[in-house]
């Protein structure tokens, strides 16, 4: 019985991972070949136009308000991620009888304590990655706040393209942080068993497909 459960675990889990990898390879190809057909490409183009409008139109207050809202959101998400991640690590290192609880939560889950702990650690690492991404986003947003208020003339060594590049870095890390949050859905469901992991992955990929489509 235990060997059968492990076969389910070791068979369905890589299938779910492969599904996620294939989707993001497809998304990367779409961003490279037809960026305006994806929401990520549209967002990048919109930020490019926004920076030009702000710096050439002298809309300093609008720029600061927009960056402040983005920074506040990233700060909140980073704080939540580090707290949840540390809580999960504490559970992985101190909880007893994890294997029995895993079997109670999912009939096809492997009751091996080491695998249960590995799942929790992987979930915690995902939250730490989200924390790291959002803190980097805050860093780049702060840099953008200083640079975007500089005048567009030859007296400064910073031009509009430099500001766009810094803002794009912040936007990329913000997107990576959100992706890490999305990944917690299948990873958390994995605690219930490999079938839940596969179901959560299919649900996530279907949702991401709708989110990543352009207008």
């Amino acid at each position: 019985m235990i060997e059968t459960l492990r076969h389910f675990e070791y068979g369905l889990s890589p299938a779910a991972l492969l599904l996620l990898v294939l989707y993001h390879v497809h998304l990367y190809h779409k961003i490279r070949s037809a960026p305006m057909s994806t929401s990520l490409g549209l967002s990048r183009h919109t930020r490019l136009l926004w920076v030009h409008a702000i710096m050439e139109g002298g809309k300093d207050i609008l720029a600061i308000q927009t960056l402040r809202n983005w920074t506040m959101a990233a700060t909140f998400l980073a704080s939540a991620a580090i707290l949840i991640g540390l809580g999960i690590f504490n559970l992985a290192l101190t909880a007893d009888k994890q294997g029995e609880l895993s079997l109670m939560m999912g009939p096809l889950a492997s009751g091996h304590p080491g695998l249960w702990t590995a799942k929790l650690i992987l979930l915690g690492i995902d939250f730490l990655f989200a924390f790291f991404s959002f803190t980097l986003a805050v860093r780049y947003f702060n840099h953008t706040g200083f640079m975007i208020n500089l005048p567009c003339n030859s007296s400064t060594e910073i031009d509009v393209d430099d500001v766009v590049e810094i803002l794009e870095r912040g936007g990329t890390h913000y997107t990576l942080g959100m992706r890490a949050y999305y990944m917690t859905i299948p990873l958390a469901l994995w605690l219930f068993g490999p079938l839940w992991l596969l179901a959560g992955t299919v649900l996530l990929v279907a949702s991401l497909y709708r989110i990543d489509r352009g207008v």
Side-chain angles (χ1 to χ4, degrees), residues 98-170:
Q98 299 99 327
E100 290 82 350
L101 180 59
S102 176
L103 286 175
M104 292 174 59
M105 296 170 66
L108 295 180
S110 173
H112 194 280
L115 183 58
W116 171 267
T117 303
K119 293 177 182 179
L120 287 175
I121 291 177
L122 186 60
L123 184 59
I125 291 175
D126 182 67
F127 276 108
L128 291 185
F129 177 80
F131 167 77
F132 182 72
S133 298
F134 283 122
T135 52
L136 282 179
V138 171
R139 176 178 182 269
Y140 286 119
F141 294 156
N142 287 333
H143 289 337
T144 303
F146 287 101
M147 297 171 64
I148 204 169
N149 288 319
L150 295 176
C152 292
N153 53 51
S154 59
S155 63
T156 62
E157 297 181 356
I158 298 176
D159 57 20
V160 178
D161 292 335
D162 295 324
V163 181
V164 172
E165 174 65 22
I166 297 299
L167 182 61
E168 276 304 310
R169 293 181 185 180

Side-chain angles (χ1 to χ4, degrees), residues 61-131:
I61 297 179
L62 176 61
I64 296 304
Q65 289 177 338
T66 303
L67 290 172
R68 180 195 62 189
N69 294 337
W70 214 358
T71 301
M72 289 176 61
T75 301
F76 171 77
L77 292 169
S79 301
I82 190 63
L83 289 175
I84 297 173
L86 292 177
I88 291 174
F89 281 125
N90 180 69
L91 176 63
L93 297 175
T94 60
D96 296 326
K97 299 182 179 179
Q98 299 99 327
E100 290 82 350
L101 180 59
S102 176
L103 286 175
M104 292 174 59
M105 296 170 66
L108 295 180
S110 173
H112 194 280
L115 183 58
W116 171 267
T117 303
K119 293 177 182 179
L120 287 175
I121 291 177
L122 186 60
L123 184 59
I125 291 175
D126 182 67
F127 276 108
L128 291 185
F129 177 80
F131 167 77

Side-chain angles (χ1 to χ4, degrees), residues 13 15-20 183 185-187 189 195-207:
S13 300
L17 177 61
L18 179 61
L19 181 60
L20 281 171
M183 276 298 300
I185 297 174
L187 290 178
L189 290 175
L195 279 179
W196 287 96
L197 168 64
L198 185 60
T201 301
V202 172
L203 177 62
L204 176 61
V205 169
S207 301

